[in-house]
Amino acid sequence: MTSLSPILKQATPVVVDHALGSWIYGTDGREYLDFTTGIGVTSTGHCHPKVVAAAREQVGKIIHAQYTTVMHKPLLELTEKLGDVLPTGLDSVFYANSGSEAVEAAIRLARMATGRPNIVVFQGGFHGRTVAAASLTTAGTKFSAGYSPLMAGVHMSAFPYAYRYGWDEATAVEFALQELDYLLKTRTAPNDTAAFLIEPALGDGGYLPTPPAFMEGLRERADLHGIKLIFDEVQAGVGRTGKFWGHQYSTATPDIIITAKGIASGFPISAIAASTETMSKAWPGSQGGTYGGNAVSAAAGVATLGVVEEEGLVENSRVRGLQLQAGLKAIQSRFPVIGNVRGLGLMQGIEFTTPKGTPDVATAAAVQQATTDQDLLTLTCGPEGNVVRLIPALVVTESEIEAGLQRFEAAVGAVVGAVPATAGV
Ligand SMILES: Cc1ncc(COP(=O)(O)O)c(C=O)c1O
């Protein structure tokens, strides 16, 4: 009998029958509150009726309208709709299927546009699992160990992870910018540096918002040296952080932006946007692929952007995110094993630490497992795996957040001891 490869790891034992909104219905008959959204993908919730209708309609028209052979309407419509939300000046877009592919495409574009070889990434960043994307990923050795040699020309600089260093944010930012300047003097000269690649909020690296002052410091240095600033908004984009783009918490704007995940509510599609001037420095045909910009995914993307706008989902993400974070901080006050709660919008991380302040990997893993027992689906992240991350759908309601908090607290209590008498959110 054939079985699934053990190479694939599954965070929960759940087998899904069907799903709707924030809920996953298992073949075991249980109803799970889904605070994973397929790793931040089902932005409009599972099977939003408008996304389902758009995809169904498109399947009946054409499924694979290969976009370097013929053009199709959904991709033109998606490009126009993206134009309403893309940062000023980023008026040219092309498409791929996944986040990793889009990251690789952005790197190829930056190298061609500048004629320079090197890319600077920031410690804890996650940019994907294909070889080039894994070469750019420093969110844990598990993403690159065992299949070197990786892509050359990648240099890592410090990330201002204030909690880890035990500093305030301003000190951490100052330190990380100094380290970057030092890297540009000691390892990769500005004239050899094509791009800085950063997530506006670290995803797999621990759900850490990137401090606005750091983003702005990167912009200054990119302008000074003619280096392209690439924002990887694969996880943080499309309303996830309570703004449409995660970088909008700062005044910094990108030269190249990458989006995927939440843009089509679960259909695979990714987009890379830059100015026409930047795009025109790469040669026609330098990017493409068999499946990129799939017609059904693009139709789902158009519907998703419509729903995000019509239902005010960016604002819902902000408000429900504040509710979620306040509830998590209240839980933190009752459980010292929670060292840090942080995040933006509906992208919240709970970092577990020992009394000595070191990462408590075992408790985080046990809590993540225990949430499933409470019918709440969660994931872990962070280089050490000691952060539980909560990523509800952008359509999540006040009562669903409340239920999620109660279930999360029950899971923590089940792992570290009975819920204190004062508990209850
Ligand atoms: C910020 C970021 N970039 C890139 C990727 C890679 O995307 P994919 O898994 O679609 O290749 C991810 C995936 O989690 C991500 O979070």
Side-chain angles (χ1 to χ4, degrees):
M1 198 181 104
T2 313
S3 61
L4 281 169
S5 166
I7 284 175
L8 299 172
K9 242 179 104 188
Q10 197 175 311
T12 74
V14 175
V15 179
V16 179
D17 181 69
H18 64 284
L20 191 64
S22 295
W23 297 89
I24 278 184
Y25 301 90
T27 51
D28 54 9
R30 285 165 67 172
E31 301 182 1
Y32 298 94
L33 184 53
D34 180 17
F35 277 14
T36 70
T37 47
I39 324 184
V41 170
T42 51
S43 48
T44 57
H46 290 287
C47 301
H48 190 288
K50 288 194 173 161
V51 176
V52 171
R56 279 204 173 118
E57 195 188 333
Q58 187 55 43
V59 166
K61 286 183 174 168
I62 183 165
I63 297 169
H64 180 56
Q66 206 285 323
Y67 78 150
T68 61
T69 310
V70 293
M71 189 38 61
H72 55 84
K73 256 173 57 185
L75 207 63
L76 296 173
E77 279 169 26
L78 182 60
T79 305
E80 199 178 318
K81 267 203 157 308
L82 269 176
D84 297 339
V85 288
L86 281 169
T88 316
L90 273 60
D91 56 356
S92 188
V93 188
F94 66 97
Y95 295 90
N97 301 286
S98 67
S100 301
E101 270 187 86
V103 165
E104 296 213 9
I107 295 308
R108 199 176 313 155
L109 174 63
R111 283 177 164 171
M112 286 187 173
T114 58
R116 303 174 181 179
N118 293 342
I119 311 296
V120 176
V121 295
F122 299 90
Q123 191 164 32
F126 181 85
H127 301 289
R129 288 175 178 268
T130 54
V131 174
S135 311
L136 300 156
T137 289
T138 52
T141 49
K142 67 179 176 186
F143 300 112
S144 54
Y147 72 108
S148 290
L150 298 170
M151 179 180 76
V154 180
H155 300 284
M156 187 189 76
S157 200
F159 181 88
Y161 190 165
Y163 177 70
R164 177 166 171 266
Y165 292 125
W167 299 338
D168 59 45
E169 186 172 294
T171 307
V173 168
E174 197 186 336
F175 165 76
L177 288 174
Q178 274 170 11
E179 290 298 294
L180 176 60
D181 291 337
Y182 201 52
L183 186 77
L184 293 172
K185 286 196 179 108
T186 55
R187 185 72 246 184
T188 172
N191 280 344
D192 285 335
T193 307
F196 298 146
L197 172 65
I198 183 120
E199 291 167 88
L202 296 195
D204 282 60
Y207 269 39
L208 279 166
T210 306
F214 189 63
M215 302 283 275
E216 287 149 19
L218 296 185
R219 181 68 271 171
E220 271 170 40
R221 285 155 181 81
D223 286 341
L224 185 67
H225 301 301
I227 294 168
K228 298 289 179 202
L229 183 55
I230 307 176
F231 288 163
D232 179 346
E233 293 264 9
V234 166
Q235 191 153 169
V238 195
R240 173 58 51 201
T241 64
K243 302 236 185 222
F244 193 92
W245 302 113
H247 75 261
Q248 289 170 324
Y249 283 93
S250 77
T251 58
T253 53
D255 298 303
I256 302 173
I257 196 168
I258 307 160
T259 179
K261 287 195 188 270
I263 196 154
S265 301
F267 287 86
I269 190 165
S270 54
I272 305 93
S275 67
T276 305
E277 194 198 343
T278 298
M279 292 280 190
S280 61
K281 297 207 168 112
W283 44 271
S286 59
Q287 309 268 3
T290 304
Y291 293 106
N294 173 268
V296 183
S297 297
V302 173
T304 296
L305 290 179
V307 169
V308 167
E309 194 184 338
E310 289 153 22
E311 298 188 12
L313 296 189
V314 178
E315 178 60 7
N316 194 56
S317 170
R318 189 184 70 79
V319 175
R320 298 280 73 88
L322 290 173
Q323 180 195 354
L324 180 57
Q325 189 172 81
L328 290 171
K329 288 200 162 154
I331 296 171
Q332 179 189 18
S333 71
R334 296 188 277 273
F335 292 98
V337 73
I338 298 177
N340 190 230
V341 169
R342 74 288 177 122
L344 296 168
L346 292 171
M347 186 174 181
Q348 297 289 330
I350 305 112
E351 181 157 355
F352 287 82
T353 43
T354 66
K356 284 186 182 159
T358 53
D360 189 343
V361 183
T363 301
V367 168
Q368 187 273 330
Q369 292 293 307
T371 61
T372 308
D373 299 337
Q374 301 295 331
D375 296 338
L376 171 70
L377 303 184
T378 64
L379 293 170
T380 55
C381 64
E384 318 246 14
N386 67 317
V387 180
V388 173
R389 54 173 151 171
L390 304 182
I391 337 169
L394 307 188
V395 292
V396 74
T397 63
E398 187 175 355
S399 59
E400 287 167 344
I401 292 285
E402 202 58 35
L405 285 165
Q406 279 171 12
R407 291 172 190 205
F408 182 74
E409 176 149 12
V412 179
V415 171
V416 302
V419 180
T422 51
V425 277

